Structure formats: structure tokens, C-alpha cells
Amino acid sequence: MAMSRMRLLALALLGLATLPAAAMAQSTVDVVRARGHVLCGGSQGTVGFGAVDTRGEWQGLDVDTCRAVAAAVLGDGRRARFIPLSGQQRLIALQSGEVDVLPRTTTWTLQRDANGVNFTGANYYEFTGVLMRRDTGVTEVTGMKGASVCVQSGSTTEITVADASRVHALELRPVVYDHTEATRQAFFQGRCDALVTDAAALASIRATLASNPDDYVIFPINDKLEALAPSVRHGDDRWFDIVKWSFQALVVAEQLGITQANVETMLASTDPTIRRFLGVDRGNGAALGLDERWAYTIVKQLGNYAEVFERNVGAGSPLKLVRGHNRLARDGGLMFPLAFN
């Protein structure tokens, strides 16, 4: 009998949650192929990363990350289905088998990694930010003494706020909510002085929910950078590899100069690295148990990482975020392409 959600919650809080034995009898990729789509954990509405647009379609950087997996495994990125999850629900849903992959903005931490979750590599580097009204005059964390802070339960933000309060003797007062929407509404309704979460999410919130975005300022709560990373549950190394390399295909395509527009002509390239990447020279597909042209399919349908970034959170989006740390390593960023051989 499968574990109840309450049982899984109790185990997750203890760091002991595991996938039910019956669900481990079949590999995830076989389950996905039999089902015909990938089940992806989605956010509860963060424009730029994971949100439903006016046409009822999911859009965002995290959404495209999961669509890359669907393109690799099923040949069609549209065969990804998204289940909205709160911060408290997301890891439990992954560990219990309710979703196959969790691309939803989740910080890579030691305790999560050690207790039932495998992170496949960062798809976005970020700092934790503070959103406050500009008329408070507060523009840095040291000015927040005594402030009430809206945070979402089940997130690393709770720890970050507590650490900042202790380090700077701020006596911050956390106001904790279970759901993303409730946390954001509480801030704009004046129930707390500040909203703390990932800075890019704050940029999205300010751009989409504030009546006048210029009335609000965002600043870092500390000097630490976090890796937001897609994850899978422990126990299925093949699926872990597929998800990891599906995202890497986006990064490596940018490194190689392969775009959605030129990928077709690149099939005729004589460059051995490009030929291996696109599956013209065989081997990578067989290694993962996928079609040899799986990486070609990802780029053909989604583009490379630069294209994914720009249309979702960059210059082509309402957020207009600069790439910064999310540039390729050759350009001074932290996105490091791995070898496709």
C-alpha cells in the first residue's frame, strides 16, 4: 500500500521520506513512455519561471527545462504536464512519485540532497532578495530592524531570514504562510513590512502584482548566491542522467553556437563535436537509452539556453533580467557546459 501524504510529510520533515517500493518496480523512463507524458512539478504562478499565460498554457524557464526532458524522451516537448505545488508540497510530491521531475524553483541544499532528492544541476543562479516599499527608505538588510517579514513555509527562506536576523541583530518577525499566493497577497495587503524570496521571483511579483512597480525596491538579504536546480528522487540513476543531460543540451547548444534557427543546417557540419551533439555521429543516444537525435530535438523545439533565458526572463520578457551569473563560463558566468562524448 502506498504511503499516505501525511506519512510522507512526517518522514520528509525527518529527512527520511522514500519512494514506495511498488513505485520502484519500474524505471521512471519506462513509466513516462507508457503514460505518454512527463509529470512536472510546477510553481503556483511565478511569471518568467512557471505560470499559466492568458491562453491557459504553461510558460517559463522552469517550464522549458521540463519540456526539454519531454522532447528528449518522447520526442515532443509539448508532452509535459505541470502540477502546481506549494513550497511545502513540492519535495513530498517528488519523493512520493506524484511527479517525475521537479523543475520548480528549488534551492540546492545539502539536507535536501542527502534525504531523498537528487539535484541535476543548476538551471538558474540567484540570490535571496527582499521586497519593500520604497517610501520606507530601507535599501539594505541592516535597515530592517524589527520588520515583519512574509515568508512561505517549506522554503529555505525561513532559515535565511532567521540567519540574517541573528547576524545583524535585527529582531525580524517572520509571518509564515503555506501557499505562494497567500504569502504575496499578505505583503501587498500590508500584513508585513517585507517579502523575502528569490530575487528573480520578486522581480516577477513586482512586475505583475504591484499597482506601481516603481513604488517597490529589491535588495539582497545576504551576500550568498544560491543554485536553483531541477531535481529527481533517489533510486533511478538512468532517469537522473536523462534529466541532467536534457538541461545540459540547452547549455551546450549555446556553447556550440547552435540555435533553433540554424540547428537544421548544423546537421551538415563537419565539426565532430557538433556531429556528436546532434546525433549525426552515434553514441550519446545509446548511452542514455534515447533516440540518437534527442539533443537535436530539444534545440529544434526549444532553442538553446540563451534563447530560453531571453524569452522567459531576459530582454524578450516582461522581467528583462540581465543574465549575470547565468552567462556561460566563457562569458564570465557560472553555466558550465559538460562534454557530450
Side-chain angles (χ1 to χ4, degrees):
M1 181 181 296
M3 294 185 192
S4 69
R5 181 179 289 274
M6 289 302 295
R7 171 65 172 160
L8 279 163
L9 175 58
L11 289 175
L13 291 174
L14 293 171
L16 299 173
T18 56
L19 186 64
M24 296 184 66
Q26 197 173 16
S27 71
T28 306
V29 68
D30 290 336
V31 170
V32 166
R33 284 173 170 157
R35 186 197 300 131
H37 57 264
V38 180
L39 289 175
C40 312
S43 77
Q44 292 178 315
T46 301
V47 172
F49 290 86
V52 178
D53 66 14
T54 55
R55 298 171 297 173
E57 297 181 2
W58 281 85
Q59 303 291 347
L61 189 148
D62 293 334
V63 170
D64 282 346
T65 297
C66 207
R67 285 190 174 137
V69 178
V73 176
L74 301 171
D76 188 351
R78 294 170 300 180
R79 291 168 73 176
R81 303 288 183 270
F82 297 89
I83 300 174
L85 299 168
S86 69
Q88 199 169 37
Q89 294 169 332
R90 55 188 169 176
L91 296 176
I92 300 168
L94 178 64
Q95 292 166 321
S96 67
E98 291 182 45
V99 296
D100 305 311
V101 58
L102 184 65
R104 179 195 185 283
T105 49
T106 304
T107 303
W108 189 345
T109 71
L110 182 152
Q111 292 193 25
R112 287 171 173 171
D113 206 341
N115 291 304
V117 175
N118 279 333
F119 289 92
T120 60
N123 70 341
Y124 192 85
Y125 290 95
E126 178 65 294
F127 65 86
T128 300
V130 180
L131 180 68
M132 295 188 72
R133 289 193 59 86
R134 192 178 297 275
D135 58 18
T136 64
V138 179
T139 57
E140 57 183 29
V141 66
T142 54
M144 293 179 65
K145 189 171 181 63
S148 57
V149 180
C150 281
V151 296
Q152 186 178 342
S153 62
S155 70
T156 57
T157 305
E158 292 181 85
I159 298 172
T160 301
V161 168
D163 287 350
S165 183
R166 186 163 52 249
V167 168
H168 300 291
L170 297 175
E171 299 178 3
L172 298 177
R173 295 175 287 119
V175 183
V176 182
Y177 293 88
D178 289 337
H179 299 285
T180 303
E181 184 178 357
T183 309
R184 297 170 181 177
Q185 286 180 349
F187 170 71
F188 285 107
Q189 290 169 358
R191 298 180 191 172
C192 48
D193 302 313
L195 176 63
V196 177
T197 189
D198 301 326
L202 292 179
S204 173
I205 293 164
R206 182 172 62 177
T208 58
L209 297 181
S211 55
N212 182 10
D214 289 338
D215 288 344
Y216 297 88
V217 62
I218 297 172
F219 55 87
I221 197 169
N222 55 35
D223 60 357
K224 298 178 177 64
L225 197 64
E226 296 182 347
L228 306 183
S231 57
V232 297
R233 55 187 165 268
H234 281 180
D236 191 334
D237 286 349
R238 183 183 177 194
W239 184 244
F240 173 69
D241 290 342
I242 288 171
V243 175
K244 173 173 57 182
W245 287 98
S246 293
F247 175 72
Q248 267 293 312
L250 299 171
V251 177
V252 173
E254 181 183 359
Q255 176 84 9
L256 296 176
I258 305 173
T259 67
Q260 192 170 27
N262 71 16
V263 66
E264 202 72 42
T265 59
M266 284 289 195
L267 289 171
S269 173
T270 58
D271 185 324
T273 303
I274 292 175
R275 291 174 62 85
R276 280 194 300 271
F277 176 79
L278 295 176
V280 177
D281 290 347
R282 303 174 65 84
N284 289 339
L288 292 173
L290 301 175
D291 181 86
E292 289 293 342
R293 292 198 174 184
W294 63 273
Y296 159 84
T297 301
I298 290 174
V299 181
K300 180 69 175 177
Q301 295 182 13
L302 298 169
N304 61 34
Y305 182 73
E307 293 174 291
V308 169
F309 186 98
E310 290 305 315
R311 70 170 171 263
N312 288 304
V313 299
S317 77
L319 274 62
K320 302 191 184 308
L321 300 177
V322 296
R323 278 189 69 176
H325 295 293
N326 295 292
R327 293 172 295 175
L328 294 184
R330 72 177 182 198
D331 300 324
L334 297 175
M335 285 294 169
F336 188 84
L338 301 180
F340 267 61
N341 55 39

